[in-house]
Amino acid sequence: MESHSRGSSSSFSSLSIYLAALAHTPTRIAARAFSVSTSNEELSRIRARSGSDMRRTLRWYDLVGFGVGGMVGAGVFVTTGRASRLFAGPSVIVSYAIAGLCALLSSFCYTEFAVDIPVAGGAFSYLRITFGEFAAFLTGANLVMDYVLSNAAVARSFTAYFGTAIGVSEAKWRMRVDFLPDGFDEIDIVAVFVILLITLIICYSTRESSVVNMVMTAAHVIFIGFVITVGFWKGDVKNFTEPSDPVHHPAGFFPFGAAGVFNGAAMVYLSYIGYDAVSTMAEEVKNPVRDIPVGVSGSVIIVTVLYCLMAASMSMLLPYDAVDPEAPYAAAFKGEEGRWRWVSNVIGGGASVGILTSLMVSMLGQARYMCVIGRSNVVPAWFARVHPTTSTPVNASVFLGIFTAVIALFTDLNVLLNLVSIGTLFVFYMVANAVIYRRYVTVGTSNPWPTLSYLCSFSLSSILFTLIWHFTPPGKLKALMLVACNIIAIAILQLFVCLVPQAHKPEFWGVPLMPWLPSVSIFLNIFLLGSLDGPSYVRFIFFSALAVLVYVLYSVHASFDAEGDGSLIHKNVATLKDIEDG
């Protein structure tokens, strides 16, 4: 068994020492992969690795602004049209309400952790204190990669929407380089400029970033209010039930039935991604106990109302079978006479503002994730540094800003869109599992296997339901199989409630109706993961394998060194039990 020696050299101090360290990789993985930190360590020793503290300057209204700004980007202008035309019809309104409920349940899980552990690490910190270092690193690496790729995609879409606003084709903003491969041959300087400008803003001050975000979010909400008002004023209620071509398209508010509503909810749920970035700002909140629940849950509720009203507005403007799935709002006015065509330009301008707000919130979130991952030593500690003057994670912000800009410079929007979202949904699923595990298991004192057995069994029943939903032909047999899956899942849940007592009650704020609401969140996230396409899973497997490789070749050794020199105090289950038995 390999042991630490105080003052010993780093595993990376020379090639021979590194090769010797690699020989001990299995032992080090056994020691580190399932090691957990405690809440107190996250708030003290581990946070101290950043040097200076992040300044606590944010209030609940700042968090609401960040949440609304992060969620309401340009995506809603596309997903609403696709969900209505392809899946739900006018009942896309209900789809948005269901997706909003899903987001609210996930936000409850994030809120319980963020109030109890107000640090900048978000899901990474929550998983590290629950399931250990490796699970946290794997999910954190995928999440950061999702942030980078989605931010690059959003920045490139800004060029298109801004061009629409001022009446200039996006092709005139981009330069084609013939010797580069397809999908990487259009240089977008505007996207790079936008990313670098936002990087400078978030490096300067979180407080000032909040002010800028508030101004842009207010402008965007006013614009959305304008779109909603024009839609209700110019629209016709008969479009809620009558298609333009009733011969070839079914009529009614639910033209595709319940299946269409839920498939539409799976598509529009991606419009809610962004509230998780708010939890990464917990370390900068003045009163976490009061401000985080209001900020996170409040922003999800506000956005749900806005989305439902926007969906209703669009459904009144056009019959669902006449909606342009790529640009539903702009196309609805482009076909009008001259007095209404200007509205499509306004939509382009409003979407551009929405892109900037969502991009700023996402870049704030990705930098704070990277900062806390750096504190744990699984990536170089350089990323953990907080600048003493600005009180922001400058190193992580600049590195990820440049990385995002380089990807946005070359990579086509369609290439990027096929690579995002699965990592974020996977993290939502993991956090829902973690909040149940933490409530029912006290590390070192209670038996974790009943809770782990429940989580695995419930997840398997949810996976089975999802596979039946997506791959079984419609009919009575499918309905019976779905009902059977529901009965099994509810029976498993009820059995767990009756047999396993809660081991931990939150001191300040907790998810209500435990474990029912987090379990519903687990099911819904699995269901939504099942709606993603093949390239998303290929991307997830590729980056997960890459993350495992980085962990084996670097992270576990750096973490092991940090534990040995005392700069990182993590405990595995046995160590915690020894301490508590005293």
Side-chain angles (χ1 to χ4, degrees), residues 424-447:
T424 306
L425 288 173
F426 178 69
V427 172
F428 291 170
Y429 163 77
M430 290 294 291
V431 170
N433 278 275
V435 78
I436 294 176
Y437 185 88
R438 192 159 184 264
R439 282 279 199 104
Y440 286 87
V441 176
T442 299
V443 177
T445 60
S446 55
N447 184 5

Side-chain angles (χ1 to χ4, degrees), residues 541-559:
I541 293 171
F542 173 78
F543 283 117
S544 295
L546 186 62
V548 171
L549 187 64
V550 171
Y551 185 79
V552 169
L553 296 179
Y554 173 83
S555 301
V556 70
H557 306 291
S559 174

Side-chain angles (χ1 to χ4, degrees), residues 59-61 63-65 67 278 290-300:
R59 298 284 194 178
W60 65 267
Y61 46 82
L63 299 183
V64 170
V278 177
R290 181 195 65 189
D291 295 340
I292 292 175
V294 175
V296 177
S297 302
S299 61
V300 173

Side-chain angles (χ1 to χ4, degrees), residues 302-319:
I302 291 171
V303 168
T304 301
V305 173
L306 288 176
Y307 282 169
C308 289
L309 290 174
M310 286 187 72
S313 168
M314 186 200 68
S315 298
M316 289 181 65
L317 274 173
L318 290 171

